[in-house]
Amino acid sequence: MKKVLYTIVLLMNVVANAQTQDTTTTFKKRVLENTEVDFLFSYYKQDGVHSAVGGGLGSEKLTDIASNIVVAVPLNEDDVLTFDVGISAYTSASSSNINPFNASGASGGGGDDKQWNNKATAASGPYGTPWQASSGASGNDELASIVTNYSHSSDNRNTIWTADVSFSNEYDYTSVGFGGGLTKLFNEKNTEIGLKVNAYLDQWRPIYPTELHEYSKYGSNFQNQAYFSGVTVLDQNGNPSNGYLPSAFTIYNAKNRNSYSASLSFSQILSKRIQMSVFMDVLKQEGLLGTPYQRIYFADKSNYYIGQVQYIPVYETAENKGVYRLADDIERLPNTHFKIPIGARVNFYINEYIVAKTYYRYYEDNWGIRAHTASIEVPIKISQKLTAYPMYRYYIQTASDYFAPFEKHISTEKYYTSDYDLSAFNANQYGFGVSYLDILTGSKIWKFGLKNIDFRYNRYVRSDGLNATILSLGFKFVMQ
């Protein structure tokens, strides 16, 4: 009998403890109540006249379509695991001209500039132009990526730490990343300090412009070998010539690119209507920082071409339909790069319908670039579920110490680039977005309730002629 009573008391204690634990769990607010799934789609289209593959000249037409699926899973009250899987596919007139002779040129239509098919045969009358896309395999590619993030919050929700790992891959580039962060909240959560560090260990599989790739394989006799066997090279006057010798070119020895960053942020609620935050990042890159397939043309070297003679006089205009100039070298940049952005955000609550979100950032690096960014976004609450937000962004930067336009570098320089992303320019971006919030997740697809839909349109215009249109669409669902 004593044993029975003892057992009953023991069971009652267990039940009581379980009930106490359940009560604690019930009143402990979860960081994330249910699994959330985001479907994100974007469309990007650009055009311009300063192709870096063409040495600062030629079409920059590019189209990119990307999609991401982000799944956030609550592991318990305190921990959330998030997976972000993305894939994008692009077509590019600029990068297609890594091998501008692919379709009708030296490869005879049988070569693949990605795989350097040595079995390619010569074709009669090969030609290309920096103003049109080649059908080379490098004209399109896919990027696949995955990021996994783990987040843990303390019981009082005043401490949050995160850890993440990432992987991405495209044909000539692979990136592996990892990092972590710590966020502390004080002053009844009115003050927040955050620290985040990341490292990316990347690896190039270099692809070089066709003419330089062949020179690296066969030396000064390359014009009689493989890709260029039987192909006529022309001088500036349109006469056949054997004088083309890109002696400045050597293949890159290093193929790695490592990036390290540390970010510090401070956020403060100043009043019922104003919130501000400041941040500073320190970034370092080392390794192969130039792009292997971006051509350089020297002002103190003779010009040589493959293609149709009549287009040589109009090579630098869109009238050029059939000749491509052979490169003197590829982009060369230092193997270290330090970057320091410093910025601030201030959000103003104007009334229950309008909030103004402002942003400013100053950027400086050891390559000579100084830049300023300023933007404003004004969410306007149209109804309980619908919000519209117009935005505007202005950007201006100075040129890198190593930049010069098409055919302005000279061969005695140590570093050189004609990539207009490193030139002096200013840019305006303006856009408009609409967000629909299904407050009670009444709209359902299978077990998922629709939480919100977000659509954005942005137009980007740069002073060097580059312009782009960006469309994005996102859906967030909650598993119920």
Side-chain angles (χ1 to χ4, degrees), residues 434-466:
V434 178
S435 180
Y436 173 81
L437 178 64
D438 192 337
I439 297 175
L440 301 177
T441 61
S443 303
K444 293 184 175 63
I445 298 179
W446 193 44
K447 295 183 179 180
F448 293 92
L450 178 64
K451 188 172 183 179
N452 71 277
I453 303 174
D454 188 85
F455 171 79
R456 295 197 178 209
Y457 164 86
N458 280 274
R459 180 66 177 168
Y460 177 80
V461 180
R462 213 158 82 173
S463 58
D464 64 2
L466 182 71

mmCIF file of all heavy atoms in Angstrom, residues 434-466:
data_model
loop_
_atom_site.group_PDB
_atom_site.id
_atom_site.type_symbol
_atom_site.label_atom_id
_atom_site.label_comp_id
_atom_site.label_asym_id
_atom_site.label_seq_id
_atom_site.Cartn_x
_atom_site.Cartn_y
_atom_site.Cartn_z
ATOM 1 N N VAL A 434 4.309 48.432 -53.741
ATOM 2 C CA VAL A 434 3.001 48.213 -53.132
ATOM 3 C C VAL A 434 3.089 46.943 -52.296
ATOM 4 O O VAL A 434 3.604 45.917 -52.752
ATOM 5 C CB VAL A 434 1.889 48.064 -54.182
ATOM 6 C CG1 VAL A 434 0.556 47.789 -53.499
ATOM 7 C CG2 VAL A 434 1.782 49.313 -55.041
ATOM 8 N N SER A 435 2.580 47.021 -51.068
ATOM 9 C CA SER A 435 2.571 45.860 -50.185
ATOM 10 C C SER A 435 1.144 45.583 -49.723
ATOM 11 O O SER A 435 0.460 46.491 -49.254
ATOM 12 C CB SER A 435 3.478 46.109 -48.974
ATOM 13 O OG SER A 435 3.471 44.987 -48.121
ATOM 14 N N TYR A 436 0.740 44.336 -49.876
ATOM 15 C CA TYR A 436 -0.599 43.917 -49.448
ATOM 16 C C TYR A 436 -0.443 42.975 -48.269
ATOM 17 O O TYR A 436 0.250 41.957 -48.352
ATOM 18 C CB TYR A 436 -1.340 43.220 -50.585
ATOM 19 C CG TYR A 436 -2.654 42.606 -50.160
ATOM 20 C CD1 TYR A 436 -3.796 43.382 -50.033
ATOM 21 C CD2 TYR A 436 -2.738 41.245 -49.886
ATOM 22 C CE1 TYR A 436 -5.004 42.813 -49.636
ATOM 23 C CE2 TYR A 436 -3.937 40.666 -49.495
ATOM 24 C CZ TYR A 436 -5.069 41.460 -49.366
ATOM 25 O OH TYR A 436 -6.254 40.901 -48.975
ATOM 26 N N LEU A 437 -1.064 43.289 -47.148
ATOM 27 C CA LEU A 437 -0.966 42.490 -45.937
ATOM 28 C C LEU A 437 -2.288 41.792 -45.662
ATOM 29 O O LEU A 437 -3.314 42.438 -45.462
ATOM 30 C CB LEU A 437 -0.601 43.392 -44.751
ATOM 31 C CG LEU A 437 -0.500 42.726 -43.367
ATOM 32 C CD1 LEU A 437 0.643 41.714 -43.350
ATOM 33 C CD2 LEU A 437 -0.300 43.782 -42.289
ATOM 34 N N ASP A 438 -2.250 40.465 -45.673
ATOM 35 C CA ASP A 438 -3.441 39.685 -45.333
ATOM 36 C C ASP A 438 -3.367 39.417 -43.830
ATOM 37 O O ASP A 438 -2.768 38.446 -43.371
ATOM 38 C CB ASP A 438 -3.452 38.372 -46.118
ATOM 39 C CG ASP A 438 -4.799 37.668 -46.028
ATOM 40 O OD1 ASP A 438 -5.540 37.938 -45.063
ATOM 41 O OD2 ASP A 438 -5.095 36.857 -46.911
ATOM 42 N N ILE A 439 -3.956 40.301 -43.058
ATOM 43 C CA ILE A 439 -3.756 40.339 -41.613
ATOM 44 C C ILE A 439 -4.109 39.017 -40.931
ATOM 45 O O ILE A 439 -3.406 38.543 -40.051
ATOM 46 C CB ILE A 439 -4.568 41.495 -40.996
ATOM 47 C CG1 ILE A 439 -4.057 42.828 -41.546
ATOM 48 C CG2 ILE A 439 -4.488 41.476 -39.481
ATOM 49 C CD1 ILE A 439 -4.863 44.021 -41.111
ATOM 50 N N LEU A 440 -5.184 38.422 -41.310
ATOM 51 C CA LEU A 440 -5.620 37.179 -40.664
ATOM 52 C C LEU A 440 -5.221 35.956 -41.474
ATOM 53 O O LEU A 440 -5.698 34.856 -41.211
ATOM 54 C CB LEU A 440 -7.144 37.208 -40.458
ATOM 55 C CG LEU A 440 -7.661 38.367 -39.606
ATOM 56 C CD1 LEU A 440 -9.180 38.322 -39.534
ATOM 57 C CD2 LEU A 440 -7.062 38.311 -38.200
ATOM 58 N N THR A 441 -4.336 36.144 -42.449
ATOM 59 C CA THR A 441 -3.917 35.069 -43.365
ATOM 60 C C THR A 441 -5.124 34.264 -43.834
ATOM 61 O O THR A 441 -5.121 33.034 -43.831
ATOM 62 C CB THR A 441 -2.875 34.144 -42.708
ATOM 63 O OG1 THR A 441 -3.447 33.533 -41.542
ATOM 64 C CG2 THR A 441 -1.631 34.902 -42.331
ATOM 65 N N GLY A 442 -6.129 35.001 -44.239
ATOM 66 C CA GLY A 442 -7.364 34.356 -44.684
ATOM 67 C C GLY A 442 -7.216 33.652 -46.012
ATOM 68 O O GLY A 442 -7.878 32.653 -46.282
ATOM 69 N N SER A 443 -6.355 34.163 -46.885
ATOM 70 C CA SER A 443 -6.134 33.519 -48.180
ATOM 71 C C SER A 443 -5.156 32.373 -47.989
ATOM 72 O O SER A 443 -4.043 32.573 -47.515
ATOM 73 C CB SER A 443 -5.575 34.532 -49.181
ATOM 74 O OG SER A 443 -6.452 35.632 -49.313
ATOM 75 N N LYS A 444 -5.554 31.171 -48.346
ATOM 76 C CA LYS A 444 -4.725 29.993 -48.092
ATOM 77 C C LYS A 444 -4.457 29.218 -49.365
ATOM 78 O O LYS A 444 -5.286 29.155 -50.271
ATOM 79 C CB LYS A 444 -5.417 29.075 -47.078
ATOM 80 C CG LYS A 444 -5.529 29.647 -45.677
ATOM 81 C CD LYS A 444 -6.135 28.638 -44.725
ATOM 82 C CE LYS A 444 -6.134 29.159 -43.295
ATOM 83 N NZ LYS A 444 -6.954 30.371 -43.132
ATOM 84 N N ILE A 445 -3.256 28.650 -49.422
ATOM 85 C CA ILE A 445 -2.884 27.688 -50.453
ATOM 86 C C ILE A 445 -2.419 26.439 -49.724
ATOM 87 O O ILE A 445 -1.362 26.451 -49.080
ATOM 88 C CB ILE A 445 -1.773 28.237 -51.364
ATOM 89 C CG1 ILE A 445 -2.271 29.494 -52.100
ATOM 90 C CG2 ILE A 445 -1.315 27.175 -52.347
ATOM 91 C CD1 ILE A 445 -1.223 30.108 -53.005
ATOM 92 N N TRP A 446 -3.203 25.403 -49.810
ATOM 93 C CA TRP A 446 -2.953 24.169 -49.070
ATOM 94 C C TRP A 446 -2.891 24.494 -47.596
ATOM 95 O O TRP A 446 -3.864 24.976 -47.036
ATOM 96 C CB TRP A 446 -1.687 23.483 -49.590
ATOM 97 C CG TRP A 446 -1.529 22.072 -49.106
ATOM 98 C CD1 TRP A 446 -2.488 21.101 -49.029
ATOM 99 C CD2 TRP A 446 -0.322 21.489 -48.614
ATOM 100 N NE1 TRP A 446 -1.949 19.946 -48.537
ATOM 101 C CE2 TRP A 446 -0.626 20.143 -48.278
ATOM 102 C CE3 TRP A 446 0.968 21.954 -48.453
ATOM 103 C CZ2 TRP A 446 0.325 19.272 -47.762
ATOM 104 C CZ3 TRP A 446 1.925 21.077 -47.948
ATOM 105 C CH2 TRP A 446 1.605 19.764 -47.604
ATOM 106 N N LYS A 447 -1.770 24.253 -46.892
ATOM 107 C CA LYS A 447 -1.665 24.543 -45.463
ATOM 108 C C LYS A 447 -1.051 25.909 -45.188
ATOM 109 O O LYS A 447 -0.756 26.230 -44.043
ATOM 110 C CB LYS A 447 -0.830 23.467 -44.772
ATOM 111 C CG LYS A 447 -1.465 22.077 -44.786
ATOM 112 C CD LYS A 447 -0.594 21.083 -44.014
ATOM 113 C CE LYS A 447 -1.247 19.704 -44.004
ATOM 114 N NZ LYS A 447 -0.402 18.722 -43.254
ATOM 115 N N PHE A 448 -0.846 26.694 -46.230
ATOM 116 C CA PHE A 448 -0.169 27.971 -46.070
ATOM 117 C C PHE A 448 -1.153 29.132 -46.169
ATOM 118 O O PHE A 448 -1.945 29.211 -47.111
ATOM 119 C CB PHE A 448 0.925 28.130 -47.130
ATOM 120 C CG PHE A 448 2.066 27.169 -46.975
ATOM 121 C CD1 PHE A 448 2.056 25.955 -47.644
ATOM 122 C CD2 PHE A 448 3.131 27.474 -46.152
ATOM 123 C CE1 PHE A 448 3.106 25.067 -47.506
ATOM 124 C CE2 PHE A 448 4.190 26.589 -46.003
ATOM 125 C CZ PHE A 448 4.174 25.378 -46.676
ATOM 126 N N GLY A 449 -1.075 30.015 -45.160
ATOM 127 C CA GLY A 449 -1.883 31.219 -45.202
ATOM 128 C C GLY A 449 -1.056 32.374 -45.735
ATOM 129 O O GLY A 449 0.101 32.566 -45.332
ATOM 130 N N LEU A 450 -1.622 33.151 -46.630
ATOM 131 C CA LEU A 450 -0.908 34.274 -47.222
ATOM 132 C C LEU A 450 -0.736 35.383 -46.190
ATOM 133 O O LEU A 450 -1.708 35.864 -45.620
ATOM 134 C CB LEU A 450 -1.674 34.807 -48.433
ATOM 135 C CG LEU A 450 -1.071 36.031 -49.130
ATOM 136 C CD1 LEU A 450 0.280 35.694 -49.737
ATOM 137 C CD2 LEU A 450 -2.034 36.543 -50.208
ATOM 138 N N LYS A 451 0.516 35.786 -45.947
ATOM 139 C CA LYS A 451 0.787 36.844 -44.979
ATOM 140 C C LYS A 451 0.920 38.194 -45.670
ATOM 141 O O LYS A 451 0.347 39.187 -45.221
ATOM 142 C CB LYS A 451 2.062 36.533 -44.195
ATOM 143 C CG LYS A 451 2.310 37.483 -43.044
ATOM 144 C CD LYS A 451 3.477 37.009 -42.185
ATOM 145 C CE LYS A 451 3.689 37.916 -40.982
ATOM 146 N NZ LYS A 451 4.805 37.448 -40.120
ATOM 147 N N ASN A 452 1.676 38.262 -46.760
ATOM 148 C CA ASN A 452 1.737 39.524 -47.498
ATOM 149 C C ASN A 452 2.274 39.303 -48.912
ATOM 150 O O ASN A 452 2.927 38.290 -49.211
ATOM 151 C CB ASN A 452 2.576 40.577 -46.768
ATOM 152 C CG ASN A 452 4.055 40.274 -46.772
ATOM 153 O OD1 ASN A 452 4.532 39.512 -45.941
ATOM 154 N ND2 ASN A 452 4.784 40.860 -47.716
ATOM 155 N N ILE A 453 1.974 40.271 -49.775
ATOM 156 C CA ILE A 453 2.495 40.323 -51.144
ATOM 157 C C ILE A 453 3.208 41.653 -51.302
ATOM 158 O O ILE A 453 2.691 42.696 -50.881
ATOM 159 C CB ILE A 453 1.372 40.206 -52.196
ATOM 160 C CG1 ILE A 453 0.572 38.926 -52.003
ATOM 161 C CG2 ILE A 453 1.936 40.259 -53.600
ATOM 162 C CD1 ILE A 453 -0.645 38.818 -52.915
ATOM 163 N N ASP A 454 4.373 41.611 -51.911
ATOM 164 C CA ASP A 454 5.153 42.835 -52.074
ATOM 165 C C ASP A 454 5.627 42.950 -53.525
ATOM 166 O O ASP A 454 6.216 42.007 -54.066
ATOM 167 C CB ASP A 454 6.357 42.814 -51.136
ATOM 168 C CG ASP A 454 7.087 44.141 -51.113
ATOM 169 O OD1 ASP A 454 6.677 45.013 -50.345
ATOM 170 O OD2 ASP A 454 8.069 44.304 -51.874
ATOM 171 N N PHE A 455 5.355 44.085 -54.157
ATOM 172 C CA PHE A 455 5.794 44.329 -55.538
ATOM 173 C C PHE A 455 6.570 45.636 -55.594
ATOM 174 O O PHE A 455 6.172 46.631 -54.978
ATOM 175 C CB PHE A 455 4.599 44.421 -56.488
ATOM 176 C CG PHE A 455 4.989 44.894 -57.873
ATOM 177 C CD1 PHE A 455 5.572 44.031 -58.779
ATOM 178 C CD2 PHE A 455 4.789 46.224 -58.238
ATOM 179 C CE1 PHE A 455 5.946 44.473 -60.038
ATOM 180 C CE2 PHE A 455 5.154 46.673 -59.493
ATOM 181 C CZ PHE A 455 5.742 45.793 -60.400
ATOM 182 N N ARG A 456 7.682 45.622 -56.327
ATOM 183 C CA ARG A 456 8.481 46.838 -56.471
ATOM 184 C C ARG A 456 8.941 47.029 -57.909
ATOM 185 O O ARG A 456 9.240 46.061 -58.612
ATOM 186 C CB ARG A 456 9.710 46.794 -55.559
ATOM 187 C CG ARG A 456 9.382 46.801 -54.082
ATOM 188 C CD ARG A 456 10.578 47.159 -53.237
ATOM 189 N NE ARG A 456 10.242 47.202 -51.824
ATOM 190 C CZ ARG A 456 10.846 47.975 -50.937
ATOM 191 N NH1 ARG A 456 11.813 48.787 -51.320
ATOM 192 N NH2 ARG A 456 10.494 47.962 -49.671
ATOM 193 N N TYR A 457 8.982 48.305 -58.296
ATOM 194 C CA TYR A 457 9.534 48.704 -59.591
ATOM 195 C C TYR A 457 10.595 49.770 -59.337
ATOM 196 O O TYR A 457 10.370 50.720 -58.580
ATOM 197 C CB TYR A 457 8.442 49.284 -60.503
ATOM 198 C CG TYR A 457 9.008 50.059 -61.685
ATOM 199 C CD1 TYR A 457 9.365 49.401 -62.857
ATOM 200 C CD2 TYR A 457 9.187 51.440 -61.608
ATOM 201 C CE1 TYR A 457 9.890 50.106 -63.939
ATOM 202 C CE2 TYR A 457 9.708 52.156 -62.690
ATOM 203 C CZ TYR A 457 10.058 51.474 -63.852
ATOM 204 O OH TYR A 457 10.581 52.175 -64.906
ATOM 205 N N ASN A 458 11.768 49.608 -59.951
ATOM 206 C CA ASN A 458 12.829 50.601 -59.814
ATOM 207 C C ASN A 458 13.461 50.881 -61.171
ATOM 208 O O ASN A 458 13.641 49.960 -61.996
ATOM 209 C CB ASN A 458 13.916 50.118 -58.850
ATOM 210 C CG ASN A 458 13.531 50.315 -57.401
ATOM 211 O OD1 ASN A 458 13.749 51.372 -56.829
ATOM 212 N ND2 ASN A 458 12.937 49.283 -56.811
ATOM 213 N N ARG A 459 13.792 52.141 -61.379
ATOM 214 C CA ARG A 459 14.492 52.573 -62.592
ATOM 215 C C ARG A 459 15.813 53.201 -62.177
ATOM 216 O O ARG A 459 15.851 54.089 -61.322
ATOM 217 C CB ARG A 459 13.642 53.584 -63.371
ATOM 218 C CG ARG A 459 14.287 54.099 -64.648
ATOM 219 C CD ARG A 459 14.436 53.013 -65.678
ATOM 220 N NE ARG A 459 14.994 53.541 -66.934
ATOM 221 C CZ ARG A 459 15.437 52.783 -67.928
ATOM 222 N NH1 ARG A 459 15.382 51.462 -67.823
ATOM 223 N NH2 ARG A 459 15.926 53.322 -69.019
ATOM 224 N N TYR A 460 16.905 52.720 -62.778
ATOM 225 C CA TYR A 460 18.255 53.159 -62.431
ATOM 226 C C TYR A 460 18.889 53.803 -63.656
ATOM 227 O O TYR A 460 18.923 53.204 -64.735
ATOM 228 C CB TYR A 460 19.062 51.949 -61.969
ATOM 229 C CG TYR A 460 20.509 52.216 -61.638
ATOM 230 C CD1 TYR A 460 20.878 52.774 -60.417
ATOM 231 C CD2 TYR A 460 21.519 51.882 -62.537
ATOM 232 C CE1 TYR A 460 22.208 52.992 -60.103
ATOM 233 C CE2 TYR A 460 22.857 52.101 -62.238
ATOM 234 C CZ TYR A 460 23.198 52.653 -61.017
ATOM 235 O OH TYR A 460 24.521 52.877 -60.707
ATOM 236 N N VAL A 461 19.397 55.023 -63.488
ATOM 237 C CA VAL A 461 20.006 55.761 -64.600
ATOM 238 C C VAL A 461 21.343 56.320 -64.139
ATOM 239 O O VAL A 461 21.410 57.061 -63.148
ATOM 240 C CB VAL A 461 19.099 56.912 -65.096
ATOM 241 C CG1 VAL A 461 19.759 57.646 -66.246
ATOM 242 C CG2 VAL A 461 17.731 56.367 -65.511
ATOM 243 N N ARG A 462 22.404 55.992 -64.880
ATOM 244 C CA ARG A 462 23.747 56.399 -64.501
ATOM 245 C C ARG A 462 24.279 57.404 -65.515
ATOM 246 O O ARG A 462 23.952 57.342 -66.709
ATOM 247 C CB ARG A 462 24.666 55.173 -64.437
ATOM 248 C CG ARG A 462 25.741 55.258 -63.407
ATOM 249 C CD ARG A 462 26.254 53.892 -63.016
ATOM 250 N NE ARG A 462 27.240 53.355 -63.931
ATOM 251 C CZ ARG A 462 27.926 52.232 -63.725
ATOM 252 N NH1 ARG A 462 27.703 51.526 -62.614
ATOM 253 N NH2 ARG A 462 28.806 51.794 -64.589
ATOM 254 N N SER A 463 25.142 58.300 -65.068
ATOM 255 C CA SER A 463 25.622 59.390 -65.927
ATOM 256 C C SER A 463 26.532 58.911 -67.053
ATOM 257 O O SER A 463 26.755 59.637 -68.018
ATOM 258 C CB SER A 463 26.364 60.436 -65.079
ATOM 259 O OG SER A 463 27.455 59.843 -64.386
ATOM 260 N N ASP A 464 27.053 57.693 -66.971
ATOM 261 C CA ASP A 464 27.910 57.170 -68.043
ATOM 262 C C ASP A 464 27.112 56.436 -69.118
ATOM 263 O O ASP A 464 27.694 55.830 -70.017
ATOM 264 C CB ASP A 464 28.992 56.258 -67.468
ATOM 265 C CG ASP A 464 28.416 55.008 -66.799
ATOM 266 O OD1 ASP A 464 27.183 54.828 -66.820
ATOM 267 O OD2 ASP A 464 29.195 54.209 -66.254
ATOM 268 N N GLY A 465 25.799 56.490 -69.036
ATOM 269 C CA GLY A 465 24.962 55.874 -70.060
ATOM 270 C C GLY A 465 24.318 54.565 -69.659
ATOM 271 O O GLY A 465 23.418 54.074 -70.343
ATOM 272 N N LEU A 466 24.759 53.966 -68.560
ATOM 273 C CA LEU A 466 24.145 52.727 -68.109
ATOM 274 C C LEU A 466 22.759 53.005 -67.539
ATOM 275 O O LEU A 466 22.566 53.967 -66.790
ATOM 276 C CB LEU A 466 25.014 52.066 -67.030
ATOM 277 C CG LEU A 466 24.504 50.712 -66.506
ATOM 278 C CD1 LEU A 466 24.660 49.636 -67.564
ATOM 279 C CD2 LEU A 466 25.252 50.324 -65.234
#
